[in-house]
Amino acid sequence: MDASTDAARAEVLASRAALLEEVQRLEASARAAVDIPAKIRRAPGKTAGLVAGTAFVALGGPKRAFRRARRAVMGERADLPTSLLPKDIDAAVRALGTDGDKVRGTLEREFVRYLQDRSKVRRESDMAELVTSVAGNLFKPVSARLGRQLAEQLFSPDAEGFANALAKIRARYGSQAGDKGSSGGG
């Protein structure tokens, strides 16, 4: 039973050492990922570009740029009419006469003529809106993915930063182990 106890103890110590190694690597990775000043010192242009790109995407820059481009191509959208009120409509209908059937016929014919005149314009505007809608639907996931990639790249630990952080952490853990060993032996 003594051999199995020794084997279990060795297995526990090995697991503890592996866990300590993983904790050290995780801590080093986290520290290297958020060590923005060190990233700036190593690659100032790349880091500034990543920060600017992340901010651009996070603040809705792609959406604003797309809206401006659409407005430049399609023109400004007209404001909704504010002057056409029910009393104005009533006055226009009363001006057509007092015979209800004639007024109804006139309104129906004018409305049909209006719809026919506007159908070509409406089809063209519907097609333009369809194209911009499809472009917007394609552009949104692309910009979201780009934003995620920029953020991941900004906060991913680089090899040099990771190695430096890991060395510092191992040195700290080593000095703590030395302190415990010297205090336990006395």
Side-chain angles (χ1 to χ4, degrees), residues 135-151:
N137 288 339
L138 292 175
F139 191 62
K140 186 175 181 179
V142 169
S143 66
R145 182 178 176 138
L146 176 66
R148 271 194 303 276
Q149 286 176 341
L150 287 171

Side-chain angles (χ1 to χ4, degrees), residues 25-55:
R25 290 177 57 79
L26 179 63
E27 184 180 348
S29 178
R31 287 183 184 274
V34 296
D35 192 8
I36 303 297
K39 287 183 180 187
I40 292 172
R41 283 191 299 275
R42 281 191 294 278
K46 179 181 175 184
T47 306
L50 286 171
V51 169
T54 303

Side-chain angles (χ1 to χ4, degrees), residues 124-139:
E124 289 172 358
S125 68
D126 287 348
M127 183 58 71
E129 285 193 28
L130 175 68
V131 168
T132 57
S133 176
V134 168
N137 288 339
L138 292 175
F139 191 62

Side-chain angles (χ1 to χ4, degrees), residues 66-82:
F66 180 72
R67 276 195 228 133
R68 280 194 185 138
R70 183 178 63 192
R71 199 174 8 206
V73 172
M74 305 282 296
E76 297 260 349
R77 288 189 176 172
D79 292 334
L80 294 176
T82 57

